[in-house]
């Protein structure tokens, strides 16, 4: 970890220091915060991001199929939100929580007009986060750096 002005720290991206480098920024993510929660081990973050990309590749279709079944939809929205929080995809986490809470407050509201904007926000946040994560994982693998 390297000090930066303002007293904050960021993961080292030097290849020679033994640490797997992480991106200084990733669209929709707070990488430094997530790596910090993972014992400041970039390799753990890369593993989690790789699992996020792999596990949630088909999530949009599964989620779309769950709409109308409040229990199934809430479960899928909760799962993606939990994974998002783990890897630092904060906007995706916030969007998932907003929809999950709305579904929880009124279980019969799956077709309520107020849910459409929440679903749209979640759909957009997922596309942004998953796309950025997928690209980062692919670039990391192309560079020969794969989390073990």
């Amino acid at each position: 970890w390297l000090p930066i002005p303002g007293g904050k720290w960021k993961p080292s991206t030097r290849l020679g220091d033994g640490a797997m480098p992480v991106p200084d920024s990733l669209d929709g993510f707070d990488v430094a915060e997530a790596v910090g929660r993972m014992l400041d081990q970039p390799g753990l973050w890369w593993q989690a991001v790789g699992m996020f990309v792999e596990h949630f590749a088909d999530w949009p279709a599964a989620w779309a199929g769950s709409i109308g079944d409040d229990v199934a939809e809430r479960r899928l929205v909760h799962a993606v939100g939990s994974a998002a929080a783990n890897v630092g995809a904060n906007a995706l986490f916030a969007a998932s929580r907003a929809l999950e809470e709305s579904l929880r407050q009124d279980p019969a509201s799956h077709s309520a007009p107020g849910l459409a904007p929440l679903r749209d926000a979640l759909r957009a946040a997922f596309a942004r986060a998953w796309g950025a994560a997928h690209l980062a994982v692919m670039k990391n693998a192309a560079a020969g750096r794969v989390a073990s």
Side-chain angles (χ1 to χ4, degrees):
W1 287 75
L2 302 172
I4 59 175
K8 296 192 175 203
W9 295 82
K10 73 174 187 173
S12 170
T13 56
R14 294 178 308 200
L15 294 176
D17 68 1
M20 182 176 285
V22 295
D24 289 329
S25 66
L26 186 60
D27 191 25
F29 286 76
D30 185 336
V31 176
E33 177 187 34
V35 171
R37 281 194 316 271
M38 295 184 183
L39 307 173
D40 294 331
Q41 295 184 27
L44 290 178
W45 181 79
W46 278 115
Q47 284 180 338
V49 170
M51 290 171 59
F52 172 77
V53 168
E54 182 178 338
H55 184 76
F56 291 96
D58 297 326
W59 183 86
W63 174 47
S66 75
I67 294 173
D69 178 344
D70 293 328
V71 173
E73 183 177 11
R74 233 180 21 248
R75 185 180 67 239
L76 287 168
V77 170
H78 179 84
V80 79
S82 295
N86 191 41
V87 297
N90 295 339
L92 176 56
F93 171 72
S96 69
R97 285 298 172 249
L99 179 57
E100 183 181 0
E101 286 304 312
S102 289
L103 288 167
R104 185 183 326 277
Q105 289 174 5
D106 187 2
S109 68
H110 61 265
S111 61
L115 292 182
L118 295 174
R119 287 183 176 128
D120 290 344
L122 179 55
R123 191 174 293 110
F126 177 84
R128 178 180 174 207
W130 191 89
H134 182 255
L135 183 60
V137 167
M138 299 305 288
K139 285 182 177 179
N140 199 46
R145 297 183 304 261
V146 179
S148 56

